[in-house]
Amino acid sequence: MLEPVTDRGLDDLSALADPVRRHLYLHVLEQPDPVSRDAAATALGITRALAAFHLDRLVKAGLLLTEYRRLSGRTGPGAGRPSKLYRPSGRVVRAALPERRYEVAAELFAEALSAPDAGPQALDAAAENYGRKLGAESRRRAGAGANAEGSAEAVESVLRDAGYVPFHREGEIRLLNCPFHEIAQQHRDLTCGMNLALLQGLLAGADAPALSARLDPQPGVCCVAISAGAAAGPDRHSDPEAAADA
């Protein structure tokens, strides 16, 4: 759940940097059935050896999977060796800088819409529950018996992997990036409330009572700030723009 999306995405893009390999990958993606080395070589007008090299590199990168099957349909002695076939792994190639996590937002919105009481409260509940799962990972990283400093460091580690880019300003943890930035531009109140609920859930799941999250919209950073002590400032259902103007 917490593999840095951008790290993997950049690795995937690096694997596709070679134009021959990229065209082979696109060719396999567009076929309804697994592709043999011979078929791939013929389709791109390259040698079988070159096709095999690039196809196997795509398998190593996790972008393709292999299977073995006799294409002649014959079985038994004399049927020949099975051919090595390639098919998509199902992995989505994507990278964004700064990092975005729209699949998380989609999951939370879908969960909220399917709830009996669909609405902002259901979205907050879904976000808080997701945050608690991140908090459990933070608690695992901190280790048993971690002090407040160790817990805070683990929280920052999880925030970083979740795409928030935490940094310190005036004794607080601010978040340089919003993983839901484009959604927030169109639906600020809803997205900021979701973000706050998620981060409050993270802190609760991390068992980090010394830290609290609150809405504090400021230019150039995420709308949520994390500080020591009890939460202060606007609650999750207040207007972030009004808070920023206050």
Side-chain angles (χ1 to χ4, degrees):
M1 180 171 64
L2 271 181
E3 180 183 4
V5 172
T6 297
D7 287 354
R8 189 180 76 179
L10 292 177
D11 288 343
D12 291 344
L13 292 179
S14 177
L16 296 170
D18 184 285
V20 173
R21 191 176 305 159
R22 184 166 61 251
H23 284 102
L24 274 170
Y25 178 65
L26 293 174
H27 174 71
V28 174
L29 282 183
E30 294 169 354
Q31 306 311 306
D33 300 308
V35 177
S36 69
R37 291 172 169 178
D38 288 327
T42 299
L44 270 71
I46 58 177
T47 66
R48 184 181 187 278
L50 184 59
F53 170 76
H54 285 298
L55 288 167
D56 286 339
R57 290 297 295 269
L58 289 166
V59 172
K60 185 176 181 181
L63 298 175
L64 296 181
L65 298 176
T66 60
E67 61 183 68
Y68 291 85
R69 189 170 72 242
R70 290 187 176 92
L71 298 180
S72 65
R74 297 167 56 192
T75 59
R81 296 175 59 186
S83 296
K84 188 175 186 179
L85 306 177
Y86 300 83
R87 58 184 173 84
S89 67
R91 185 150 129 187
V92 177
V93 177
R94 61 189 176 89
L97 294 171
E99 190 162 309
R100 300 293 185 245
R101 293 273 182 161
Y102 297 121
E103 77 287 353
V104 172
E107 177 185 339
L108 298 179
F109 281 119
E111 185 175 339
L113 286 172
S114 63
D117 55 344
Q121 297 284 351
L123 179 60
D124 286 352
E128 183 174 350
N129 183 58
Y130 181 85
R132 285 181 178 274
K133 295 176 183 177
L134 299 184
E137 170 62 16
S138 176
R139 194 168 63 249
R140 185 193 68 78
R141 294 185 187 186
N147 58 20
E149 182 179 357
S151 294
E153 289 176 354
V155 165
E156 289 189 50
S157 172
V158 168
L159 287 170
R160 191 171 298 108
D161 284 352
Y164 282 98
V165 192
F167 70 101
H168 289 259
R169 175 190 286 172
E170 298 177 353
E172 294 186 321
I173 300 173
R174 296 299 313 214
L175 308 170
L176 189 60
N177 183 51
C178 173
F180 317 117
H181 177 74
E182 276 76 15
I183 303 175
Q185 298 309 296
Q186 300 297 321
H187 306 282
R188 185 173 300 276
D189 293 359
L190 197 65
T191 308
C192 289
M194 176 185 75
N195 230 343
L196 178 61
L198 191 158
L199 294 172
Q200 287 176 333
L202 189 160
L203 297 179
D207 192 20
L211 299 176
S212 61
R214 74 183 196 285
L215 281 178
D216 182 26
Q218 293 185 18
V221 295
C222 175
C223 57
V224 179
I226 297 175
S227 58
D235 65 27
R236 69 179 62 174
H237 298 296
S238 64
D239 183 349
E241 292 183 345
D245 294 336

